[in-house]
Amino acid sequence: MRLLDSIRRLDAYPKIDKEFSIKTVGGAALTIISGIIIILLIYSECVAYLTPTVTDELFVDATRGQKLKINLDFYIPAISCDYVSLDAQDATGEQHLHIDHNIFKRRMDLQGNPIEEAKKEDIQAPKPRLEKTEAPSTEAALVKCGSCYGAEKNSSHCCNTCQDVIDAYREKQWNPNLENFEQCKNEAFLGKRTLESKAFSEGCQIYGYMEVNRVGGSFHIAPGKSFSISHIHIHDVQPFSSSKFNMTHRINTLSFGEEFGYGQTRPLDMTEEVATEGAMMFQYYIKIVPTEFVPLNGPKLHTNQFSVTKHQKSVSVMSGESGMPGIFVNYELSPLMVKFTEKRNSFSHFATNLCAIIGGIFTVSGIIDTLLFTSIHALKRKIELGKIS
């Protein structure tokens, strides 16, 4: 019995008989309010415990050998697909000739409705020149052999059409000036009106993805057929003037890397730019930040965030600015990587928070109840003694 009495003295929660306890209406109201608050806080704590937290860290990107995936969807409402091309280059200026891509072009009418099914685009694919294999007829032999203006392969090489002269110049990697060629002068007025009606009576949607080396680079969507002369990238917009090309466009989406709905920024999605004065050059300077996401379950996911700065200018003859009409996207990779990691809170942390909620509200409620009871009791005593009227 002495041992039990010694143990009872350690009780930090002494009990009071019911006949010595006083129950009040204010205490009951405070108890109900405290219970509601405890239930709400416990519910929020359970939700927080079951929801993984995401921590982020920043470090130097040391990954190698990965490809950069560019997802794009551009809509150009005023130029036909036959007269606009997509080209890509890396930071050294070398063109991407053999990149993996899944880029499609879809012809659209002026109201934005599809005209036909999308067709896959050949990025930087060399266009083979068609050679005539059949034997020339007697009538064709009598036709005068047209000059190639110094670009002929041999003495018997003839350039009877404007396209023949252009092909000969491209094989020599020379820049053709169509105004100096008689063949082009004769053909210019015959088909110009037909070409213009075809080039500017439709729109074009370019969408898909392409995978390039993980280095800085650029890609652009510009009118005319593209080719290289002495490592210089050139677009042939003949027989049109560059001021005729209206590069008004809408960027439906532009992103870099895999798409999984987290850790991505897309500041250019649904961006619309209008060419207000003749030929316009639209430039987008993009800073890419590699991003890695580590979920609780499953493999690591790699994507990219990016910020963008936009610039546009008129490149018509009247403006005096150099350049060509088109949409030019220049991207640069940051040497730093952002890593997001999903983590679940420990059960000990969850239990500690529950105890803090219940004990804290119970203690605070007890203090408030004691202050209210003491104040009311003191006020009643003063009234009874006549000190307060």
Side-chain angles (χ1 to χ4, degrees):
M1 295 297 295
R2 290 181 179 179
L3 179 61
L4 293 177
D5 292 338
S6 299
I7 294 175
R8 289 192 187 99
R9 293 190 182 98
L10 300 176
D11 187 5
Y13 310 100
K15 283 62 176 185
I16 300 176
D17 292 337
K18 291 184 178 181
E19 57 266 20
F20 295 106
S21 61
I22 301 175
K23 296 183 181 294
T24 63
V25 176
L30 190 61
T31 301
I32 294 174
I33 294 173
S34 300
I36 294 174
I37 295 175
I38 289 174
I39 292 173
L40 292 177
L41 292 180
I42 289 178
Y43 173 77
S44 64
E45 189 64 29
C46 291
V47 172
Y49 171 70
L50 296 176
T51 303
T53 59
V54 179
T55 61
D56 58 89
E57 56 182 319
L58 188 67
F59 56 92
V60 176
D61 183 14
T63 57
R64 293 292 183 270
Q66 296 181 358
K67 290 286 188 177
L68 178 62
K69 184 179 181 181
I70 304 176
N71 310 289
L72 57 93
D73 186 349
F74 285 72
Y75 171 56
I76 304 171
I79 304 179
S80 172
C81 289
D82 294 335
Y83 296 90
V84 68
S85 61
L86 170 65
D87 302 297
Q89 293 179 331
D90 61 22
T92 62
E94 293 293 330
Q95 300 176 17
H96 294 306
L97 299 177
H98 304 289
I99 62 176
D100 296 328
H101 71 92
N102 197 31
I103 300 294
F104 291 87
K105 282 184 178 181
R106 177 184 285 130
R107 293 174 58 200
M108 312 284 284
D109 60 20
L110 296 180
Q111 287 71 39
N113 302 313
I115 297 178
E116 62 182 14
E117 293 296 326
K119 297 180 180 179
K120 191 169 183 178
E121 168 74 352
D122 292 330
I123 299 180
Q124 288 291 340
K127 304 295 190 300
R129 184 184 176 189
L130 297 177
E131 300 290 346
K132 296 181 179 180
T133 56
E134 65 273 8
S137 62
T138 306
E139 181 181 356
L142 298 176
V143 177
K144 182 180 178 182
C145 181
S147 173
C148 295
Y149 301 92
E152 56 271 358
K153 296 180 180 179
N154 48 56
S155 59
S156 61
H157 186 194
C158 299
C159 297
N160 295 326
T161 65
C162 181
Q163 188 60 44
D164 291 340
V165 181
I166 293 175
D167 292 341
Y169 265 65
R170 288 180 180 175
E171 290 181 4
K172 293 285 186 178
Q173 293 191 350
W174 295 350
N175 186 15
N177 187 356
L178 304 188
E179 297 179 356
N180 298 332
F181 305 148
E182 289 295 330
Q183 296 90 329
C184 297
K185 291 180 181 179
N186 295 333
E187 296 179 8
F189 297 100
L190 296 178
K192 186 173 182 179
R193 181 174 299 179
T194 304
L195 291 175
E196 286 186 356
S197 62
K198 181 179 179 181
F200 308 124
S201 62
E202 297 179 1
C204 185
Q205 181 185 10
I206 301 177
Y207 67 95
Y209 71 87
M210 54 184 175
E211 294 184 348
V212 298
N213 293 327
R214 197 178 177 82
V215 295
S218 65
F219 67 90
H220 59 266
I221 300 174
K225 295 182 179 180
S226 60
F227 58 96
S228 295
I229 295 178
S230 300
H231 303 288
I232 299 176
H233 190 72
I234 296 176
H235 280 254
D236 182 10
V237 295
Q238 297 289 346
F240 311 114
S241 170
S242 61
S243 61
K244 293 182 177 293
F245 291 99
N246 182 358
M247 291 308 300
T248 296
H249 63 278
R250 182 179 72 237
I251 303 177
N252 295 325
T253 184
L254 177 62
S255 62
F256 299 84
E258 298 296 332
E259 302 180 20
F260 49 83
Y262 185 86
Q264 283 187 317
T265 55
R266 297 182 179 180
L268 288 177
D269 282 12
M270 302 310 297
T271 298
E272 294 190 24
E273 297 291 342
V274 179
T276 56
E277 44 180 308
M280 296 287 292
M281 183 179 187
F282 297 92
Q283 295 172 301
Y284 299 91
Y285 298 95
I286 291 177
K287 189 73 171 182
I288 299 174
V289 180
T291 303
E292 185 179 80
F293 181 65
V294 184
L296 283 174
N297 302 310
K300 296 180 181 179
L301 303 175
H302 299 274
T303 185
N304 298 277
Q305 305 179 78
F306 70 93
S307 61
V308 61
T309 302
K310 297 186 290 185
H311 177 69
Q312 64 184 47
K313 64 178 180 179
S314 174
V315 293
S316 60
V317 178
M318 298 297 294
S319 66
E321 294 284 349
S322 61
M324 66 173 297
I327 307 166
F328 296 81
V329 180
N330 301 275
Y331 56 88
E332 178 183 356
L333 276 79
S334 171
L336 300 178
M337 172 180 281
V338 179
K339 182 179 181 181
F340 295 100
T341 305
E342 275 190 338
K343 293 182 179 180
R344 191 181 298 280
N345 293 326
S346 63
F347 181 78
S348 60
H349 183 270
F350 171 69
T352 301
N353 287 347
L354 289 184
C355 293
I357 290 172
I358 297 173
I361 293 179
F362 180 79
T363 303
V364 172
S365 300
I367 294 173
I368 294 174
D369 181 62
T370 301
L371 291 176
L372 290 176
F373 179 78
T374 304
S375 300
I376 294 173
H377 184 70
L379 184 61
K380 288 182 178 180
R381 290 294 301 272
K382 288 183 179 182
I383 294 174
E384 291 175 356
L385 294 174
K387 294 182 178 181
I388 299 178
S389 59

